[in-house]
Amino acid sequence: MPHSLTHPERLTITGPQGETYQGGDQEWYRDLWQRRAGCGPTTAAALLSYLSQTRPGLRPMAPAAARTQAGFLRYMEALWPYVTPGARGLDKPESLVLGCRSFALSRGCRLQGQVLEIPAQREARPSLDQCRQFVAQCLDRDCPVAFLNFSHGALKNLDSWHWVPLTAMTEGESVLLCTILDEGEARVIDLALWWETSSLGGALVGLFPDMESEQTDS
């Protein structure tokens, strides 16, 4: 059964020459350290931008100009002081949640967060079905998922120690094909293969509007 954002096109960003990107790219940051460590704030910017475009009550959270490359970069830079990577990057999923909630409050908006940690120890991990249910519940609420992975395992199109937004999932026999946005493009990864082969684990994070902001655009 497929699960997807209702309006994935709202994460399409237009460049100065009319080119298009899917989500942001941490390479757009001007500072070298931000380019190296900025996957967390870049992912946060995608999640908050989408929520602001699909919930009338959250519109103050992101400017309309965030649909352009220059505007999205300004938005990434505005988020940095709230979702700030440390020496090991943004390695705690709770830091992303708290930073995004603080940023939202600074714009007069309220968010809730939910984290599903996936430990390095296989025996301590939530089941693959629990991971599937977490992603499905977020997407079915029209909320992107922030996916943190410390080790990409057998996946060849995913960097280790990296955050990406997850926007769609299709369930198949022994596979969970998920669409992620990375480096300005959409890619498909097998979350089941990652769960099976990642040596360090990671986390799945959902950000949700509070009840007053839950009404969505059609």
Side-chain angles (χ1 to χ4, degrees):
M1 178 180 177
H3 306 269
S4 177
L5 298 180
T6 305
H7 297 287
E9 74 282 356
R10 295 187 183 179
L11 285 171
T12 298
I13 297 168
T14 303
Q17 306 302 320
E19 69 276 23
T20 58
Y21 304 93
Q22 302 305 309
D25 186 345
Q26 69 194 77
E27 289 295 326
W28 295 347
Y29 278 116
R30 289 178 264 254
D31 178 78
L32 178 59
W33 169 243
Q34 290 180 315
R35 291 198 297 272
R36 288 181 175 174
C39 57
T42 303
T43 295
L47 267 65
L48 298 190
S49 176
Y50 185 82
L51 292 175
S52 76
Q53 292 180 69
T54 54
R55 272 77 175 183
L58 295 179
R59 281 183 182 147
M61 200 165 56
R67 294 291 300 277
T68 67
Q69 184 181 7
F72 198 83
L73 171 57
R74 288 194 294 270
Y75 194 50
M76 289 160 53
E77 291 173 335
L79 267 164
W80 183 276
Y82 295 85
V83 186
T84 310
R88 289 160 51 89
L90 194 72
D91 60 347
K92 292 181 172 56
E94 295 82 5
S95 297
L96 184 135
V97 172
L98 291 174
C100 287
R101 293 185 68 191
S102 295
F103 178 84
L105 282 172
S106 76
R107 303 290 176 97
C109 301
R110 293 183 179 274
L111 295 176
Q112 301 298 320
Q114 188 173 355
V115 173
L116 182 66
E117 294 205 44
I118 305 169
Q121 300 80 12
R122 287 289 303 276
E123 62 275 9
R125 291 182 183 178
S127 69
L128 181 60
D129 189 58
Q130 287 175 293
C131 296
R132 179 196 63 78
Q133 289 183 35
F134 185 95
V135 173
Q137 289 170 2
C138 291
L139 295 176
D140 290 348
R141 289 183 66 178
D142 201 24
C143 298
V145 178
F147 173 39
L148 168 64
N149 93 95
F150 293 121
S151 162
H152 61 61
L155 300 185
K156 304 299 185 184
N157 60 344
L158 179 67
D159 292 334
S160 294
W161 215 269
H162 197 43
W163 286 94
V164 291
L166 191 158
T167 63
M169 179 178 69
T170 300
E171 304 170 38
E173 186 175 349
S174 72
V175 297
L176 287 176
L177 299 180
C178 295
T179 301
I180 61 169
L181 307 182
D182 196 16
E183 298 179 332
E185 64 181 28
R187 302 174 183 172
V188 176
I189 63 168
D190 181 359
L191 190 63
L193 180 61
W194 175 85
W195 181 89
E196 181 69 32
T197 61
S198 176
S199 60
L200 297 176
L204 297 165
V205 176
L207 294 172
F208 311 100
D210 65 9
M211 294 302 294
E212 293 181 1
S213 305
E214 184 62 51
Q215 180 182 356
T216 61
D217 287 342
S218 59

